[in-house]
């Protein structure tokens, strides 16, 4: 498991390249808008830290992702002048493929079930380094820098609400916060339709859900499941889990556009929906802003 | 005219109550997203500074505005626990009237031409203090704090683009920047259809446009004209003026939603449109985010 010094070291490494997002007042609480990072999501923090800690990155980095992690790794690689290869499933929206290519990545489109294997082949063929989306200490430490910033900006914070899927974000944030201020409550937020971590917490052990079930939620960046590593952090540090309905998620997206002037994707609004369910207050991490404009139009017109 | 120490003093006064907005990378340049302030616009800075410098605010403050200044004064007054009276013209959208009332202000709806007179009556009747939208040194000094933050966050900045209307924002920002780094280029941005300051700069003297002409632009927060006081700052400090078309303004609103994940009103996107016209680069001040959702829907659907 990672510890506070890992997160503190990550903060020093990534500071020149990430946006120091402010806390924005929202109702009786606050938002931490990671949607304002250059690629539109917190994922940049973990990717930058992981890449910076690769011993010899000259042969490039590899990632498999259809989402924000793809662009995070491509962006980080370009920044460090190393080649990146991103494996994307064939059902990835063309706009995300193009955005990843525009960041200088070489994109490999494969069948949905072949992602991991193709990525491993690229690693073997090229001597490149794999940067996983969440199951890696350096990635977790990078995401944890959000926790340090929240405590620095709002030392009196009582509750921090963080979305969960693979669990990399909450593992890092909870480690940072609990190490510095154990009394701050760290709450995980999940879509009800992908509530496997909530089920695991209730069961007291890691419960696996079928990927087809987890894929039902509109929060398409929250369809992963935790690894042993992230589950260990979650078990150790997370105080509570709140699940939210699809309607609550989409309502939060609309509220964020209207009241906080932020463009947020459904996954990015899950912690805000949970914050409302908890009665407001505290800090909600707005994890990403890459929404399909057509969906935003539908929510604002409705 | 105001000077650097006025802006520095304002920064100390307002710091606890405003969002320290970050610079966001955007193309080859940067954005300063003042749309993320609690009331959705930079106006909060000037209102907070002006109110804090009122000798005895116990009898309340008065403002006339249909727009962001109304909410800024109401918000600042509530924060300091003093009553506020806001005079709004009868054509103000109901949603803005409600938002101002929700901040605790007493709202007076009057005929469009009666705003100033009604405000002066309220001042006389109550012994309250008028906080003008731009024609006041304390308001200008408050807006100037944006210039200090830009220089602190990006010491190597070469160009700062600022929207202009009454001129309070650019007067403050230009004073701060030119006092510290005279080589930084300060560029004013105006809608072509409300380009009276551009015409004034060309003429070398203050040129007045008919309010009916200035009202043609979709950028409804930029339909004012400078005062003698703001024109004096603009003449002294602004290097250049760029005007943009209605199409360029609306295109910038859409680009900001899609690429920067920011909800921005047309007036707030004018400096971004001008930044693009200058070839990108530099910092553009995104002045406000209170767009009619129906307009945003139309721009994103189109």
């Amino acid at each position: 498991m990672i510890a506070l010094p890992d997160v503190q070291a990550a903060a020093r490494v990534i500071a020149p390249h990430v946006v120091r997002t402010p806390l924005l007042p929202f109702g009786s609480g606050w938002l931490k808008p990671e949607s304002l990072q250059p690629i539109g999501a917190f994922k940049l923090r973990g990717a930058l830290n992981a890449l910076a800690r690769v011993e010899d990155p000259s042969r490039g980095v590899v990632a498999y992702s259809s989402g924000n992690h793809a662009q995070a790794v491509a962006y980080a690689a370009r920044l460090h002048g190393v080649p990146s290869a991103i494996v994307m499933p064939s059902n990835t929206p063309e706009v995300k493929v193009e955005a990843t290519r525009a960041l200088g990545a070489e994109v490999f489109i494969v069948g949905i079930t072949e992602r991991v294997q193709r990525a491993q082949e690229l690693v073997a063929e090229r001597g490149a380094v794999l940067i996983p989306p969440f199951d890696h200490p350096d990635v977790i430490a990078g995401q944890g820098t959000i926790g340090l910033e929240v405590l620095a900006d709002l030392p009196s914070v009582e509750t921090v609400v963080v979305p969960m899927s693979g669990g990399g974000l909450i593992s890092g944030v909870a480690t940072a916060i609990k190490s510095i201020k154990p009394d701050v409550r760290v709450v995980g937020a999940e879509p009800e339709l992908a509530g496997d971590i909530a089920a695991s917490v209730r069961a007291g052990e890691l419960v696996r859900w079928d990927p087809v079930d987890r894929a039902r939620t509109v929060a398409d960046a929250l369809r992963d499941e935790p690894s042993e590593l992230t589950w260990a952090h979650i078990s150790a540090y997370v105080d509570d889990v709140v699940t939210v309905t699809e309607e609550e998620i989409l309502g939060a997206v609309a509220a964020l556009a209207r009241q906080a002037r932020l463009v947020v994707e459904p996954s990015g609004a899950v912690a805000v929906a949970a914050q409302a369910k908890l009665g407001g207050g505290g800090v909600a991490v707005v994890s990403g802003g890459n929404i399909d404009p057509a969906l935003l139009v539908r929510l604002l017109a409705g």
Side-chain angles (χ1 to χ4, degrees), chain A:
Chain A
M1 282 174 61
I2 68 157
L4 181 59
D6 301 313
V7 184
Q8 290 165 326
R12 286 189 294 274
V13 164
I14 71 174
H17 308 300
V18 295
V19 172
R20 178 64 166 76
T21 51
L23 293 180
L24 305 177
F26 186 68
S28 58
W30 304 81
L31 307 171
K32 178 75 171 164
E34 288 295 301
S35 51
L36 301 179
Q37 295 296 347
I39 57 122
F42 75 94
K43 291 275 184 185
L44 188 58
R45 296 175 182 260
L48 278 167
N49 190 49
L51 201 150
R53 293 174 62 89
V54 169
E55 208 164 299
D56 173 16
S58 65
R59 314 191 79 161
V61 291
V62 173
Y64 52 90
S65 163
S66 59
N68 295 327
H69 181 60
Q71 289 180 55
V73 171
Y75 186 98
R78 187 179 62 172
L79 202 66
H80 285 86
V82 305
S84 66
I86 312 289
V87 182
M88 304 182 103
S90 52
N91 62 349
T92 305
E94 187 58 27
V95 58
K96 295 206 171 179
V97 175
E98 278 315 310
T100 308
R101 281 208 182 102
L103 290 167
E106 189 180 1
V107 174
F108 296 84
I109 307 288
V110 301
I112 298 171
T113 57
E114 300 157 34
R115 293 195 300 174
V116 179
Q117 196 197 323
R118 189 75 189 90
Q120 283 164 347
E121 285 167 14
L122 283 163
V123 166
E125 285 163 16
R126 302 180 171 198
V129 177
L130 183 73
I131 299 192
F134 55 85
D135 189 27
H136 194 288
D138 296 337
V139 173
I140 293 172
Q143 323 301 27
T145 56
I146 292 170
L148 299 182
E149 293 178 7
V150 168
L151 291 181
D153 288 357
L154 192 68
S156 65
V157 64
E158 294 181 354
T159 304
V160 179
V161 189
V162 186
M164 300 187 300
S165 176
L169 175 59
I170 197 165
S171 292
V173 171
T175 301
I177 288 178
K178 289 294 188 179
S179 304
I180 296 172
K181 293 208 168 175
D183 291 347
V184 175
R185 202 168 149 232
V186 177
V187 178
E190 266 187 323
E192 216 173 88
L193 294 182
D196 56 325
I197 301 181
S200 300
V201 168
R202 279 194 303 271
E205 60 176 353
L206 196 45
V207 173
R208 296 296 181 189
W209 280 23
D210 191 297
V212 175
D213 286 339
R214 297 197 311 264
R216 293 170 302 170
T217 179
V218 67
D220 56 4
L222 302 186
R223 294 171 178 169
D224 264 316
E225 62 180 359
S227 66
E228 296 290 341
L229 180 65
T230 56
W231 173 245
H233 291 81
I234 292 168
S235 315
Y237 294 126
V238 174
D239 295 291
D240 207 351
V241 177
V242 173
T243 59
V244 292
T245 66
E246 300 293 290
E247 196 183 343
E248 289 167 337
I249 296 169
L250 296 176
V253 171
L256 286 164
R258 287 172 186 271
Q259 293 157 37
R261 296 113 194 155
L262 291 174
V263 173
V264 175
E265 62 188 280
S267 307
V270 163
V272 179
Q275 180 186 43
K277 217 158 182 167
L278 290 166
V283 172
V285 176
V286 175
S287 51
N290 293 318
I291 189 172
D292 176 359
L295 175 57
L296 183 60
V297 162
R298 189 156 64 76
L299 294 173
L300 288 180

